[in-house]
């Protein structure tokens, strides 16, 4: 399977698992708690497979950066967390960093 597809699965699974952390209410709700374990389990497994073809630093930067940006977006959209110019700027900087890491990897071969 394509390494970047596996990395995408890892990112989406991590965002799901992290989002379920909030819904689990400190692991007091069963189904969201199961979602945390399943989401993060799939995330780490997929990330480990992607590392067979993507350098560790690049994969982790993309995984954590994209995960951060998407999780913050879920917080804003689903959990109605506040948003302001500073948060938007921070998210844009995270996304820019992820893009630079990807470009650096493409040129490193």
């Amino acid at each position: 399977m394509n390494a970047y597809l596996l990395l995408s699965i890892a990112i989406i699974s991590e965002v799901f698992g992290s989002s379920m952390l909030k819904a689990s209410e400190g692991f007091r709700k069963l189904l969201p708690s199961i979602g945390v374990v399943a989401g993060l389990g799939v995330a780490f497994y997929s990330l480990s497979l992607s590392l067979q073809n993507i350098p560790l630093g690049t994969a982790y930067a993309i995984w954590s950066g994209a995960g951060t940006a998407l999780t913050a977006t879920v917080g804003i959209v689903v959990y109605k967390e506040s948003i302001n110019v500073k948060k938007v700027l921070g998210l844009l900087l995270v996304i820019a960093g992820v893009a630079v890491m990807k470009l650096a990897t493409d040129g490193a071969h």
Side-chain angles (χ1 to χ4, degrees):
M1 187 178 286
N2 180 294
Y4 284 99
L5 176 60
L6 288 166
L7 185 55
S8 297
I9 292 167
I11 292 165
I12 292 166
S13 300
E14 189 268 333
V15 171
F16 173 77
S18 297
S19 300
M20 290 294 97
L21 276 171
K22 177 130 177 121
S24 76
E25 295 182 9
F27 289 98
R28 288 189 300 266
K29 290 189 172 183
L30 180 61
L31 288 180
S33 298
I34 292 169
V36 171
V37 173
L40 295 179
V42 169
F44 281 108
Y45 180 68
S46 299
L47 178 61
S48 74
L49 294 177
S50 75
L51 290 174
Q52 294 174 352
N53 295 300
I54 303 172
L56 174 62
T58 300
Y60 192 77
I62 293 170
W63 180 69
S64 61
T68 299
L70 289 173
T71 301
T73 302
V74 168
I76 292 163
V77 173
V78 175
Y79 294 109
K80 308 298 184 215
E81 295 174 0
S82 66
I83 185 163
N84 57 42
V85 173
K86 290 178 184 177
K87 286 184 181 181
V88 170
L89 179 60
L91 290 174
L92 291 174
L93 289 171
V94 168
I95 293 166
V98 168
V100 170
M101 288 297 292
K102 173 69 173 95
L103 291 172
T105 300
D106 288 346
H109 290 70

